[in-house]
Amino acid sequence: MTLKKKLLAISILTSFAFWIPIWLPFAELKQVPLGEAYGIIAVYSLAVVLLEYPTGVIGDTYSHKISTMLGYLITAVGSLFMAFAVGTWMLGLGTLVFALGTSLISGSDQAYMHDVLGNEYKPFYPNAKNVAMISTLLGITLGTFLFKINPLLPLLLNAFTFIAAFFILQTLPETHSKPTEGEKANPFEKALEGITVFKNSTVLRGLLVVYAIIFAFSNNVKWLYGNLLDIVHIPVQYWGLLIAVFYLGRFVGVQIQKKISGKKATIALLVALANFVFLLGYIVHPILIPVMIFLVMIAVGAIETELELDIQEKTPSPVRSSILSLKSLLGRFSAAVYIFLAGLLSSSDSITKLTLATFALVLFAIGLQIHTYLKQKEKQLPVTE
C-alpha cells in the first residue's frame, strides 16, 4: 500500500463516528438521566477545548506522529471504557479519556500529514477531507443499525477502527526534526513560541479568526436544519434525505475549491456565503429553502478547505501542531458561543434574527480577508528610493 493510500485509509478509519447518533439512548441504557447525558457531552466539549493547545504543543515538542498514535490508542481505550461503563461517573470518565485522545490527535494528525507529504499535501488534502466526510455520513447512518443489533457495537467498532489506524500509522516514517545535541525538548518554550507566532503574524492571525467564524457556523448548521425545515412545514420523513443532500453540498464545495483557490477566490466565496445566509432568513418557500441551504453548504465546503490549506501554508513548521490546535480551540470556542446565540435568536417560526447576526459575522470575515490580502500585497511591493 502506498503512502497516500495509507493516509486515506487512516482518514476513513478515524472518521466513522458510529457512536454519535446513539449517544442518548446508549446513556439511557447505562442508567444515565437525559440531563446528565447532555452534561457529559458539555464536559467533553469543554475538556477538548482546554486540552487543545497543550496537546498540540506536545506534538511540536516531541513528535507529531507519536502524538497522533497516542491519540488513536487513547481514543480506542476511551471508546471501550464508555462501552462497558455503568452509571454517570464511569461514563463521564470514559468520555474524558476520549476527549484526551481527541485532543492529542487534533492538530498533530494534519501537521504530520503535511510534513510527510510536503508539496503534495495541498492537492491531497481535499481528497482526504472528502473521504473523511463520506465516512462520517456512513458511520452515523450505520451507528443506529449497529445499536439495534447490540448497543455496545457502535463503541466497540469505534475502538477497533482507531486501533487499526494506530497500526497503519506505525508503518509510516517519522518526520519530526530531532533536537540538536545538548538541546532539551521544552514544551513550555514551544507553547510560548506558538503564541508568539500567532501574535506577530497579522496574516496568520486574520486567517485563524476568519476560520473560527466560518467553523462556528458550519459546525452548528446541522442543529439548524430541523428548525429551518420545520418552519416551511417539510414533513419529517423527508428530513434524512434532505440532510444527506446538504452534506453532499459540502462535498461539492470541496471539489470546487480544487478548481479555484487563492485569496481573491476566498473573498468572492465569502461574499456569496453572506448573500446566501441573508436570503435564508427571508425565504419561506418549501422548495427554495433546501436549495438555499445546499448553496450555503457548497460555499462553506469551499471556504473551509481553502482556509485550512492557507493556514497550513502560512504556519512555520516548528509550531505547526500548536497553531493547528489553536485553530481548533478558537473554532470550538466560537462554535460554543454561536450555538448559545442561536438559542437566544432562533424561534419556532422564524430564524431571521440569527441569519442576520450570521450575515454580520461573515461581513466581518470578509473585511478581515481583504485586510490580510492588502497586507500581503504591501509586502510584495518593491521598495523604492
Side-chain angles (χ1 to χ4, degrees):
M1 193 184 291
T2 64
L3 172 63
K4 288 183 181 179
K5 285 182 179 178
K6 286 183 178 180
L7 290 173
L8 283 176
I10 290 170
S11 294
I12 291 168
L13 288 166
T14 55
S15 299
F16 281 120
F18 298 107
W19 66 283
I20 288 178
I22 56 88
W23 171 254
L24 292 179
F26 179 79
E28 187 180 357
L29 283 175
K30 295 293 180 178
Q31 302 175 344
V32 177
L34 181 64
E36 291 178 7
Y38 276 118
I40 289 172
I41 291 299
V43 171
Y44 164 79
S45 301
L46 179 62
V48 172
V49 169
L50 294 176
L51 291 168
E52 272 287 3
Y53 192 67
T55 51
V57 170
I58 289 171
D60 280 332
T61 307
Y62 301 106
S63 164
H64 297 146
K65 179 184 174 182
I66 291 174
S67 177
T68 306
M69 286 177 63
L70 189 60
Y72 290 161
L73 202 56
I74 291 175
T75 300
V77 171
S79 298
L80 293 173
F81 201 107
M82 286 191 286
F84 297 104
V86 178
T88 302
W89 286 104
M90 286 187 69
L91 190 59
L93 182 58
T95 311
L96 285 176
V97 173
F98 196 93
L100 175 60
T102 301
S103 301
L104 282 164
I105 297 165
S106 179
S108 287
D109 59 343
Q110 291 304 313
Y112 173 76
M113 195 181 289
H114 185 279
D115 290 343
V116 79
L117 289 175
N119 294 332
E120 295 180 59
Y121 176 81
K122 189 169 183 176
F124 174 80
Y125 178 69
N127 296 328
K129 185 168 182 173
N130 273 337
V131 297
M133 206 182 306
I134 293 168
S135 299
T136 301
L137 281 174
L138 183 62
I140 289 173
T141 303
L142 289 175
T144 52
F145 291 104
L146 293 169
F147 182 76
K148 287 179 181 178
I149 297 169
N150 187 312
L152 299 185
L153 270 180
L155 283 164
L156 292 178
L157 194 54
N158 204 70
F160 172 78
T161 56
F162 275 93
I163 290 170
F166 170 86
F167 283 112
I168 294 174
L169 185 55
Q170 196 176 34
T171 66
L172 299 183
E174 176 60 81
T175 61
H176 196 75
S177 56
K178 305 290 183 185
T180 56
E181 191 175 345
E183 182 185 354
K184 291 183 179 178
N186 190 328
F188 298 102
E189 286 184 6
K190 188 62 70 174
L192 185 60
E193 185 182 348
I195 292 170
T196 302
V197 168
F198 173 74
K199 285 171 61 180
N200 292 343
S201 174
T202 305
V203 173
L204 188 56
R205 192 167 61 247
L207 284 170
L208 289 173
V209 172
V210 172
Y211 175 83
I213 291 170
I214 300 303
F215 182 85
F217 175 66
S218 67
N219 189 60
N220 287 306
V221 72
K222 59 181 176 287
W223 309 118
L224 307 177
Y225 289 150
N227 195 182
L228 284 161
L229 297 175
D230 192 42
I231 287 170
V232 293
H233 309 296
I234 293 177
V236 175
Q237 60 262 36
Y238 298 115
W239 287 14
L241 176 62
L242 286 171
I243 290 171
V245 172
F246 298 154
Y247 272 94
L248 178 63
R250 202 167 186 169
F251 180 91
V252 172
V254 176
Q255 297 301 111
I256 287 174
Q257 185 279 329
K258 292 163 71 174
K259 305 294 181 182
I260 59 169
S261 61
K263 194 71 71 178
K264 290 181 180 178
T266 308
I267 293 170
L269 287 165
L270 282 166
V271 171
L273 177 62
N275 284 288
F276 295 152
V277 168
F278 180 83
L279 291 171
L280 201 56
Y282 293 95
I283 291 175
V284 291
H285 196 283
I287 294 178
L288 291 179
I289 276 281
V291 171
M292 194 54 62
I293 297 174
F294 184 73
L295 292 173
V296 164
M297 296 311 293
I298 289 176
V300 163
I303 293 166
E304 229 177 27
T305 306
E306 181 62 28
L307 288 172
E308 286 164 348
L309 289 170
D310 210 4
I311 289 167
Q312 282 274 24
E313 188 180 323
K314 300 295 188 298
T315 300
S317 186
V319 292
R320 190 176 303 282
S321 182
S322 301
I323 293 297
L324 294 180
S325 289
L326 185 60
K327 178 198 78 172
S328 296
L329 188 155
L330 291 171
R332 291 178 191 276
F333 177 76
S334 62
V337 173
Y338 182 87
I339 200 63
F340 173 74
L341 289 174
L344 296 176
L345 298 174
S346 300
S347 69
S348 59
D349 60 354
S350 175
I351 203 167
T352 303
K353 289 180 181 178
L354 179 59
T355 55
L356 287 176
T358 307
F359 174 71
L361 284 172
V362 178
L363 287 182
F364 178 69
I366 292 168
L368 271 178
Q369 277 291 91
I370 292 172
H371 175 70
T372 54
Y373 174 70
L374 293 175
K375 282 282 184 186
Q376 283 180 289
K377 292 290 284 185
E378 283 177 12
K379 289 181 180 180
Q380 291 169 4
L381 288 174
V383 178
T384 56
E385 296 294 334

